[in-house]
Amino acid sequence: MDWGTELWDQYEIIDKHTQWGLDLVEKYVKFVKERTEIEQNYAKQLRGLVKKYSPKRGTKEDQECKFSQSQSFVDILNEMNDYAGQREVVAENMMMNICIELTKYSQDIKQERKMFLLEGRKAQHYLECSFKQLDSSKRKFEREWREAEKAALNAERLDQDINATKADVEKAKQQAHLRTHIAEECKNEYAAQLQKYNKDQNSFYFTDMPQVYNKLQDMDERRVKKLREGYHTFAETERRVMPIIGKCLDGITKAADNANEKKDALTLIELHKSGFQRPEDVEFEDYSQAINRATSES
Amino acid sequence: MDWGTELWDQYEIIDKHTQWGLDLVEKYVKFVKERTEIEQNYAKQLRGLVKKYSPKRGTKEDQECKFSQSQSFVDILNEMNDYAGQREVVAENMMMNICIELTKYSQDIKQERKMFLLEGRKAQHYLECSFKQLDSSKRKFEREWREAEKAALNAERLDQDINATKADVEKAKQQAHLRTHIAEECKNEYAAQLQKYNKDQNSFYFTDMPQVYNKLQDMDERRVKKLREGYHTFAETERRVMPIIGKCLDGITKAADNANEKKDALTLIELHKSGFQRPEDVEFEDYSQAINRATSES
């Protein structure tokens, strides 16, 4: 079952369907392009968020990274930045391997299609010309036979006319003979044209157009194959970054594990321990010593 | 090594550090909240894209799904819609399990911290009062001993004064004796206050404040643990949707596989085959029959 055999009388349909196929590819490319824009925008927003929450170098916040809980947050931000990078990779690879690839392929298919349709139109035109020639030779044959018929009737009429001269009769007979001869030639010409036309028609319907249609079918099937690859790449591009995204998540988990409450409590001690001893007991100040001495002296 | 022992003189530092810890939790919650907004926005954009490219029911586009290449695209769109749904799940779970959870926990810690710091300030206030009492009893003792000294000197002076009456000397001696007695009592009172103050001071520096500081340390360590859980959940939430996202990708791959060029070529035939036979040879129309008949009749 192929288009050349089954759709031999559906030039318009094949024309439209192959155009629709190209439009579908174009639509898919546009869709993927818009997806990449969403990915880029998503990545940009994630990067913006990371930047917003990352400590500025040399600031108080930067100092706070001495505490593991703070350093963990910074590490998480860094992992999220890598995650955003992977979304950019998805966007770039989709653009490269689907949009650009399919658009390029589509251009070639468009050219091919144009060529095949032109080939079809040329064959159609050739058959039309052949038919015109057939028609013209048929009409000529018809016309000439009427003339020959008329000439024959005329010769017959003169032959039976008692008033006609022998010369007149002879002349009319010769005329009739000549006309019949011409008409015979036209008949042969018509027969030849008919044979040619039937050969052309046969060639058109059984060879030329089926070939064109089958070439269009083959082309269209190649286009679908390529589109299928484009569909595949859509999932593949995403699938390829999943292990790296998994590593980002592992990085976040590891960063989380590094947040250590005991360590941070010690860090605070290290940073702020004065080293002073706690105050000792206040000593007794004996104001009575002087007077006791005075009284004991007296 | 704990705050109660090592940071006994760093009330301000502990006050500030525990506040900073709460601020860090708040900052992290804010960060996650902004992340969820980005995810929601991303999901919304993906859903919008799906809607834009999905065929409207009952339209020509809907009809086109008879072709596998078109149906595959629709299936891919549906998978992408599920993918967007997973991003929403990420956003919702982050909001629920990090933002709401940590904010609630943070409120409790804030209350606890307030209570402990108040406890510390109360102990400080109590020690200050105790010191004021000590100081006051010390000053009274000093003052009374000066009076007693003066009275003793006065009695001594009168005792050696030949112009003084015995009654005057006796009165002065009695006065000196009384003053000394009062001063002795003040000394005892001062000694008692000193003992009490030293007990209070010891209790403040070795028991009360270390307890407060250690409770704050314990509280702060619990906060860090909870924050670490919050960090963990950030990766876990994402990790949990990865298998489902993987299934979406498998769905896309499967949809891609369904795009079949041979099938679609046949579908076009089924939809548009006219069933007509290709034209047969044009027959010869013999206009010469009539005249041949006429001539043969003559």
Side-chain angles (χ1 to χ4, degrees):
Chain A
M1 293 246 285
D2 56 43
W3 293 359
T5 312
E6 307 292 332
L7 299 178
W8 64 270
D9 54 349
Q10 301 293 347
Y11 182 94
E12 282 292 314
I13 289 295
I14 290 171
D15 179 342
K16 270 190 195 166
H17 181 76
T18 50
Q19 181 58 51
W20 170 80
L22 283 165
D23 291 346
L24 181 64
V25 173
E26 207 167 286
K27 187 172 151 187
Y28 179 62
V29 166
K30 204 163 152 268
F31 160 78
V32 175
K33 194 159 167 280
E34 288 180 39
R35 166 82 195 266
T36 67
E37 280 159 16
I38 291 172
E39 289 298 330
Q40 290 285 9
N41 183 41
Y42 175 54
K44 196 178 156 196
Q45 285 188 295
L46 289 177
R47 282 196 192 277
L49 187 64
V50 168
K51 201 178 169 195
K52 184 176 169 186
Y53 283 88
S54 290
K56 313 292 165 284
R57 276 189 173 262
T59 59
K60 210 187 91 201
E61 275 178 327
D62 201 17
Q63 290 295 308
E64 289 165 1
C65 289
K66 285 172 183 159
F67 293 100
S68 66
Q69 58 192 296
S70 202
Q71 184 58 49
S72 291
F73 184 39
V74 172
D75 292 344
I76 288 169
L77 290 172
N78 288 337
E79 293 295 344
M80 222 180 79
N81 214 38
D82 289 352
Y83 173 86
Q86 289 308 309
R87 301 316 308 176
E88 283 165 354
V89 166
V90 165
E92 282 154 22
N93 286 349
M94 279 185 178
M95 184 56 94
M96 195 70 94
N97 302 330
I98 301 177
C99 298
I100 293 177
E101 182 70 19
L102 276 187
T103 301
K104 228 175 73 188
Y105 194 82
S106 222
Q107 292 303 329
D108 295 347
I109 293 281
K110 259 181 214 170
Q111 283 304 316
E112 224 179 304
R113 176 176 171 274
K114 223 168 165 177
M115 206 176 67
F116 294 147
L117 289 177
L118 186 66
E119 210 174 292
R121 272 196 299 278
K122 271 185 185 167
Q124 195 117 29
H125 182 70
Y126 181 78
L127 186 67
E128 278 163 14
C129 288
S130 179
F131 184 78
K132 272 180 195 158
Q133 283 179 333
L134 170 66
D135 196 55
S136 150
S137 66
K138 189 175 105 178
R139 281 175 208 288
K140 201 174 171 195
F141 163 51
E142 187 185 3
R143 204 165 53 239
E144 289 303 329
W145 268 110
R146 282 194 207 294
E147 290 299 320
E149 207 167 3
K150 254 196 271 174
L153 284 170
N154 192 40
E156 206 172 328
R157 191 176 47 78
L158 279 178
D159 197 29
Q160 295 181 355
D161 189 351
I162 48 165
N163 297 320
T165 63
K166 271 191 176 171
D168 283 346
V169 172
E170 193 56 27
K171 196 184 167 191
K173 277 191 174 168
Q174 270 178 9
Q175 184 64 19
H177 187 73
L178 181 67
R179 278 285 157 201
T180 302
H181 180 70
I182 290 170
E184 286 284 0
E185 279 185 345
C186 282
K187 187 180 173 180
N188 290 340
E189 172 64 20
Y190 166 51
Q193 282 296 340
L194 185 70
Q195 197 171 23
K196 179 181 177 295
Y197 176 75
N198 278 332
K199 196 173 145 271
D200 288 348
Q201 183 180 261
N202 193 75
S203 174
F204 178 80
Y205 286 117
F206 289 87
T207 310
D208 301 345
M209 286 314 279
Q211 265 173 15
V212 167
Y213 292 158
N214 286 346
K215 279 192 274 189
L216 282 163
Q217 181 182 352
D218 173 69
M219 176 209 80
D220 203 58
E221 289 181 7
R222 274 183 282 123
R223 180 195 54 75
V224 176
K225 262 190 221 171
K226 195 77 186 176
L227 182 58
R228 179 172 60 227
E229 283 173 32
Y231 289 162
H232 262 282
T233 308
F234 194 68
E236 262 324 299
T237 306
E238 182 97 33
R239 198 175 276 123
R240 217 166 299 148
V241 301
M242 280 186 87
I244 310 170
I245 285 176
K247 274 182 194 163
C248 290
L249 297 183
D250 292 346
I252 292 173
T253 302
K254 206 176 145 196
D257 285 336
N258 287 342
N260 186 310
E261 64 276 8
K262 292 287 171 202
K263 204 170 147 244
D264 282 4
L266 285 183
T267 300
L268 192 72
I269 291 172
E270 278 161 24
L271 286 174
H272 297 288
K273 188 182 178 174
S274 70
F276 295 132
Q277 290 300 313
R278 277 175 272 198
E280 293 187 350
D281 278 0
V282 176
E283 282 183 13
F284 188 79
E285 294 182 49
D286 196 352
Y287 298 102
S288 59
Q289 293 287 339
I291 205 150
N292 280 345
R293 197 175 56 248
T295 41
S296 64
E297 274 168 10
S298 69
Chain B
M1 294 246 285
D2 55 43
W3 292 0
T5 311
E6 305 294 330
L7 298 179
W8 64 270
D9 55 349
Q10 300 293 346
Y11 182 94
E12 281 293 312
I13 288 296
I14 290 172
D15 178 342
K16 267 191 196 165
H17 182 74
T18 50
Q19 181 58 50
W20 170 81
L22 283 164
D23 291 346
L24 181 64
V25 173
E26 207 168 286
K27 187 172 151 186
Y28 178 61
V29 166
K30 202 160 153 270
F31 160 78
V32 175
K33 194 159 166 280
E34 287 179 41
R35 167 81 196 267
T36 67
E37 280 159 17
I38 290 172
E39 289 298 330
Q40 289 285 11
N41 183 39
Y42 175 54
K44 196 179 155 194
Q45 284 189 295
L46 289 177
R47 282 197 192 278
L49 186 63
V50 168
K51 201 177 168 193
K52 183 176 169 186
Y53 282 88
S54 289
K56 312 292 166 281
R57 277 190 172 262
T59 59
K60 211 186 91 200
E61 276 179 326
D62 202 17
Q63 291 293 310
E64 288 164 1
C65 288
K66 285 172 184 160
F67 294 100
S68 66
Q69 58 193 296
S70 204
Q71 184 57 51
S72 292
F73 184 40
V74 173
D75 292 344
I76 289 168
L77 291 173
N78 288 338
E79 292 295 344
M80 221 179 80
N81 214 38
D82 289 351
Y83 173 86
Q86 289 309 309
R87 300 319 305 177
E88 283 164 352
V89 166
V90 165
E92 284 155 21
N93 286 349
M94 278 184 178
M95 184 56 94
M96 193 70 92
N97 302 329
I98 302 176
C99 298
I100 294 178
E101 183 70 20
L102 276 187
T103 301
K104 228 175 74 188
Y105 194 81
S106 223
Q107 291 303 330
D108 294 346
I109 293 281
K110 258 180 213 170
Q111 283 305 317
E112 224 179 305
R113 175 176 171 274
K114 224 170 165 177
M115 206 177 67
F116 294 148
L117 288 177
L118 186 66
E119 210 173 291
R121 272 197 299 278
K122 271 185 187 167
Q124 195 119 31
H125 182 71
Y126 181 79
L127 186 67
E128 278 163 14
C129 288
S130 179
F131 184 78
K132 270 181 197 158
Q133 283 179 332
L134 170 66
D135 197 54
S136 151
S137 67
K138 188 176 109 179
R139 281 176 207 286
K140 200 175 173 196
F141 162 52
E142 188 185 2
R143 201 166 55 240
E144 289 304 328
W145 268 110
R146 282 193 207 293
E147 289 300 320
E149 207 168 3
K150 252 195 273 174
L153 284 170
N154 191 41
E156 207 172 327
R157 192 176 46 79
L158 279 179
D159 197 28
Q160 295 182 355
D161 186 350
I162 48 166
N163 296 320
T165 64
K166 271 193 178 170
D168 282 346
V169 171
E170 193 55 29
K171 197 184 168 192
K173 276 189 174 168
Q174 270 176 11
Q175 183 66 17
H177 187 73
L178 180 68
R179 277 285 156 199
T180 303
H181 180 71
I182 290 171
E184 284 286 359
E185 278 184 344
C186 283
K187 185 179 173 180
N188 289 340
E189 172 65 20
Y190 165 51
Q193 280 296 340
L194 184 71
Q195 197 173 22
K196 179 183 177 290
Y197 176 76
N198 277 332
K199 196 172 145 272
D200 288 347
Q201 181 180 263
N202 193 75
S203 174
F204 178 80
Y205 285 118
F206 288 87
T207 310
D208 301 345
M209 286 314 280
Q211 265 174 16
V212 167
Y213 291 158
N214 285 345
K215 278 192 275 189
L216 281 163
Q217 180 181 352
D218 172 70
M219 176 209 81
D220 202 59
E221 288 181 8
R222 274 183 282 124
R223 180 195 55 73
V224 175
K225 262 190 218 169
K226 193 79 186 175
L227 181 59
R228 179 173 59 228
E229 281 174 32
Y231 290 162
H232 262 280
T233 307
F234 194 67
E236 261 325 298
T237 307
E238 181 97 32
R239 198 176 276 123
R240 217 166 299 148
V241 302
M242 281 186 86
I244 310 171
I245 286 175
K247 273 181 195 163
C248 290
L249 297 182
D250 292 347
I252 292 173
T253 302
K254 207 177 144 195
D257 286 337
N258 286 342
N260 186 311
E261 62 278 6
K262 292 287 173 203
K263 203 169 147 246
D264 282 2
L266 285 182
T267 300
L268 191 73
I269 292 173
E270 279 160 24
L271 285 173
H272 297 288
K273 188 182 175 173
S274 71
F276 296 132
Q277 290 298 314
R278 276 175 273 198
E280 293 189 350
D281 278 0
V282 176
E283 282 185 12
F284 188 80
E285 295 182 48
D286 197 350
Y287 299 102
S288 60
Q289 293 285 342
I291 204 148
N292 281 345
R293 196 175 57 246
T295 39
S296 65
E297 274 169 10
S298 67

